[in-house]
Amino acid sequence: MSIGWYLHRLRAMSPPELWHRVTERWKHRSDAGFAARVRPVKTGECVPGVPHLPEAGDAPPSLKQRLAKDAINLRAGRWHLFGWREVQLACPPSWHRDPLGDLVTPKDRLAHRLNHRSLPAGVDVRTLWEISRWSEMVRLAMHGWLNQDAAAISTAQDWLEDWVQENPVGYGIHWTSPLEAGLRLINFTWFDALVHAGGDSALLERQSRLVQQVVVPHALWVWRYLSFGSSANNHLLGELAGLLHAVKRWPDLEAVVCPAGRLWSEVERCVLEQFAPDGGNREQALHYHLFAWEMAWHCARLMKVERGEPWNRLLRAASFFAHAVQPTEPWHYGDSDDAEVVPLCLDRHLAEGEWQAWLMGQPTGESLRFWLGTPPKASATTSGWWVAPDSGMATYENHGWKLRVDASLLGFGAMAAHGHGDALHVSVWDGELALIIDPGTGGYYGMKEQRAALAAWEAHNGPQPVGGFQTPRRLGTFLLLDHHVAPRLEDESGRLTASLQHEGRDWKRSVMIVGGGRICIEDAVTGGSAFDLRTRWHLAPEVEVTPAGEAEFLLRRQGRRWRVSFEDATSCTLMTGMASRRYGSFEDCQVIEVVGELNIKSVWTRE
């Protein structure tokens, strides 16, 4: 990273955080002997029913069938990274090898001496971490328990034993982030509960050794390196959730880690900090909304808590997600890395839809209903605009349309790590089909150029200067400076207006649905001298675009047709852009760039 990045990163830290970083550096001096120091610590006996498992006989046939299919693929080395990218891995996997290339990261180097932000040849560390979150081992254990296949659980134990051998605590890429260790703790706790539910004596004997090898070093490492200050976003929540799972299942660990009650109090604090009063996540990234919510929800289930403001905040966050997500073609706002916490969905590729269905009590949420039981009450039923005023988000669902309007802050905290330049952006779906999209995330450290382009103002359709906004400035993958102020959002009798004061001018966008079949979007700018404004409409990759006049285009997809016309436009240009519907995937999409002086009216009509 550049000197400038480090200087600005330091500016984002408070004095207590700076001191914390100094003490953290000091701790690293003794990392080499960490494993030997924690080896005498014992986990003690586990508590049955933590986490709670349902009755095996209640499992829906569709879940048992899918788990059996997944087990066949996994044992043959066919993994689906991020739920979509099929790769062939060894059995057990080569934990330090980039699954999409040939790079092998060193396993004998202390983790703090590895720069996971800058790996050779554009390798993305998130892809390496994906194979070591242990979701696949949990998936094998779920199948082994529900389909009475002890051999599948034994295979998963083989892989875990190999992982422990190949990843001594504190060494290698998989110990560079305490969040990763926290996620492994969550999944291992579920894995242990599933092995015990199966009751096979040979598997239980192996498992008792694995528990000692895995739980103690993971729990004490996470406790040693808890995220702090400007880094304490969803990472801290995941680390606390991992620790809470460990101490609730193995209570003797409270003496060397932390009492469960104190951990839960910290989780409650994180929930109140990360979720606004209306339930929106302050990361301003819809995928991270679900990621953080699931971690907190697991913690609440462990503590059997169903009251208090943090609990109520989680209920509102569930309703927020049910409103904000589109289940078939999600196209999230803000960052998305397709992460999951515990592999509870029937199909990870359709996870957003399954979570929404479970929250709304619909049949397609049956896998989550089996594992998690009764959902919190969440409804996404509206006949017009639904507005979350604290988070600056609004959706419209009626006449077959779904619209999502963003009038939010850039992101959470001084870094706004997962925010995009998407203020005043509008996404549109016609039924189950995406029409106007937020083009996605792409990737992180290994795909910096694509990420910067997809997160920029130019990739979103809010009104902006022809030359683009100059702020916020991106100094790194997760560091944004000079944040814009909070936009305003008003519902004026069906006319939704979002406005932003930025770089000396007032930008306003009004959205109305006229007669059920037409969407009218009016953009205007005031302040300063006259000049041209611009918007770029990124369309779903499947949409075909044909010019139908100077300022008019015909759109087609799967037999459906739409027409868009632009009033007061001085130019309309059809170009090719980039879109990323899943982490690490890239597609071309059609983009309509419209330029006008001070005002532009866009009319989208269903034909």
Side-chain angles (χ1 to χ4, degrees):
M1 309 300 288
S2 68
I3 294 176
W5 179 88
Y6 282 108
L7 290 175
H8 287 293
R9 183 67 182 87
L10 288 171
R11 285 177 55 195
M13 298 182 190
S14 64
E17 182 177 359
L18 288 171
W19 177 247
H20 176 86
R21 298 292 179 182
V22 171
T23 60
E24 191 174 71
R25 292 266 181 178
W26 183 261
K27 289 178 185 177
H28 284 317
R29 295 165 61 91
S30 59
D31 281 355
F34 182 81
R37 293 196 304 275
V38 303
R39 195 170 293 123
V41 178
K42 304 300 179 184
T43 59
E45 295 297 319
C46 70
V47 174
V50 178
H52 173 74
L53 295 180
E55 295 293 328
D58 294 337
S62 59
L63 174 60
K64 297 172 70 174
Q65 292 165 8
R66 182 55 189 252
L67 288 171
K69 180 180 177 181
D70 289 349
I72 291 171
N73 286 329
L74 289 171
R75 295 169 78 179
R78 295 189 294 270
W79 289 39
H80 284 84
L81 303 182
F82 311 111
W84 73 272
R85 186 189 288 275
E86 185 172 333
V87 296
Q88 184 68 44
L89 301 181
C91 296
S94 299
W95 306 108
H96 299 274
R97 181 183 295 276
D98 169 26
L100 305 180
D102 295 325
L103 175 74
V104 179
T105 58
K107 65 179 181 181
D108 56 354
R109 188 179 301 174
L110 284 167
H112 75 271
R113 294 179 180 168
L114 289 171
N115 185 1
H116 66 273
R117 299 180 180 89
S118 183
L119 295 176
V123 173
D124 192 79
V125 71
R126 175 67 183 85
T127 306
L128 278 162
W129 286 339
E130 176 74 1
I131 64 172
S132 284
R133 289 188 169 181
W134 298 351
S135 293
E136 286 73 18
M137 289 73 145
V138 173
R139 204 72 175 167
L140 285 174
M142 289 173 169
H143 158 72
W145 174 50
L146 293 180
N147 292 317
Q148 300 180 339
D149 185 354
I153 298 178
S154 180
T155 297
Q157 289 179 325
D158 290 342
W159 295 359
L160 287 167
E161 288 167 351
D162 185 75
W163 194 97
V164 170
Q165 180 69 29
E166 295 295 309
N167 294 272
V169 61
Y171 287 82
I173 200 72
H174 299 302
W175 292 100
T176 53
S177 167
L179 170 62
E180 298 303 311
L183 291 171
R184 290 195 293 271
L185 268 179
I186 296 171
N187 276 299
F188 187 81
T189 304
W190 276 77
F191 182 84
D192 191 65
L194 289 161
V195 174
H196 278 76
D200 184 283
S201 59
L203 295 178
L204 288 171
E205 185 177 347
R206 287 182 72 184
Q207 188 65 14
S208 65
R209 294 191 294 271
L210 263 175
V211 165
Q212 188 62 33
Q213 293 171 328
V214 168
V215 175
V216 170
H218 272 78
L220 291 176
W221 184 265
V222 174
W223 182 243
R224 177 180 173 89
Y225 289 118
L226 277 177
S227 294
F228 186 84
S230 57
S231 296
N233 45 26
N234 62 79
H235 286 219
L236 177 59
L237 182 54
E239 293 151 16
L240 294 169
L243 291 174
L244 187 59
H245 277 74
V247 302
K248 288 294 288 183
R249 184 154 180 86
W250 296 279
D252 286 3
L253 290 176
E254 287 191 323
V256 292
V257 177
C258 183
R262 180 179 164 192
L263 288 170
W264 170 244
S265 294
E266 288 299 301
V267 170
E268 289 184 309
R269 183 180 60 80
C270 285
V271 167
L272 295 178
E273 286 184 354
Q274 293 188 31
F275 290 95
D278 60 18
N281 188 271
R282 292 190 170 109
E283 296 273 13
Q284 299 302 344
L286 186 56
H287 170 79
Y288 279 98
H289 180 115
L290 177 60
F291 186 61
W293 186 89
E294 184 189 345
M295 292 187 292
W297 190 255
H298 285 307
C299 291
R301 293 183 78 236
L302 287 174
M303 299 301 293
K304 299 181 180 179
V305 170
E306 294 187 1
R307 61 174 62 88
E309 180 52 27
W311 167 260
N312 292 331
R313 195 75 58 93
L314 286 177
L315 297 184
R316 291 192 287 274
S319 290
F320 184 102
F321 179 81
H323 279 282
V325 76
Q326 201 278 349
T328 57
E329 297 185 354
W331 293 104
H332 299 301
Y333 59 83
D335 274 353
S336 173
D337 67 2
D338 289 297
E340 66 177 354
V341 183
V342 183
L344 304 177
C345 290
L346 189 68
D347 185 348
R348 183 178 174 186
H349 187 66
L350 303 173
E352 297 91 345
E354 289 191 40
W355 279 100
Q356 186 196 54
W358 175 65
L359 290 169
M360 296 175 65
Q362 296 174 350
T364 48
E366 62 181 357
S367 178
L368 289 164
R369 186 162 52 252
F370 171 70
W371 293 113
L372 298 179
T374 303
K377 293 181 180 179
S379 173
T381 303
T382 56
S383 58
W385 288 105
W386 170 85
V387 178
D390 303 309
S391 301
M393 197 66 60
T395 63
Y396 176 94
E397 292 188 70
N398 206 355
H399 305 294
W401 296 110
K402 174 153 187 170
L403 284 72
R404 189 172 63 212
V405 179
D406 190 327
S408 63
L409 283 166
L410 185 63
F412 183 57
M415 295 172 62
H418 295 294
H420 288 193
D422 53 10
L424 311 194
H425 177 92
V426 176
S427 295
V428 176
W429 293 262
D430 188 354
E432 74 282 6
L433 300 180
L435 181 59
I436 305 170
I437 63 169
D438 183 312
T441 301
Y444 290 155
Y445 294 118
M447 294 159 264
K448 294 179 182 178
E449 292 183 3
Q450 297 97 319
R451 166 173 168 69
L454 288 165
W457 289 106
E458 290 79 5
H460 298 88
N461 59 43
Q464 56 196 269
V466 168
F469 289 124
Q470 303 305 303
T471 55
R473 294 183 294 142
R474 182 174 292 279
L475 265 293
T477 306
F478 297 108
L479 177 58
L480 288 158
L481 301 179
D482 304 326
H483 303 181
H484 60 72
V485 300
R488 300 186 301 275
L489 192 62
E490 296 179 87
D491 180 7
E492 302 168 327
S493 302
R495 182 185 183 93
L496 189 84
T497 299
S499 53
L500 171 69
Q501 291 183 329
H502 192 52
E503 296 186 355
R505 291 185 169 91
D506 293 330
W507 307 84
K508 180 180 287 188
R509 165 165 283 179
S510 296
V511 185
M512 286 187 64
I513 287 68
V514 180
R518 180 179 299 174
I519 302 170
C520 295
I521 301 175
E522 298 181 23
D523 295 328
V525 57
T526 58
S529 58
F531 77 113
D532 288 341
L533 64 83
R534 176 192 70 194
T535 188
R536 288 178 175 170
W537 302 96
H538 284 66
L539 305 173
E542 298 85 356
V543 175
E544 299 175 5
V545 186
T546 305
E550 282 190 14
E552 192 169 347
F553 296 85
L554 183 64
L555 317 177
R556 296 183 179 89
R557 182 181 178 191
Q558 292 188 11
R560 300 189 194 179
R561 292 161 51 100
W562 305 268
R563 188 175 297 272
V564 56
S565 60
F566 302 101
E567 300 178 14
D568 302 316
T570 56
S571 69
C572 296
T573 306
L574 184 62
M575 59 182 67
T576 300
M578 176 174 57
S580 173
R581 74 179 75 214
R582 291 291 180 184
Y583 190 81
S585 72
F586 299 94
E587 305 170 70
D588 289 340
C589 68
Q590 295 295 291
V591 179
I592 303 173
E593 180 183 83
V594 186
V595 176
E597 186 176 328
L598 299 182
N599 299 276
I600 300 175
K601 183 177 181 179
S602 309
V603 181
W604 305 77
T605 304
R606 181 193 290 140
E607 293 198 334

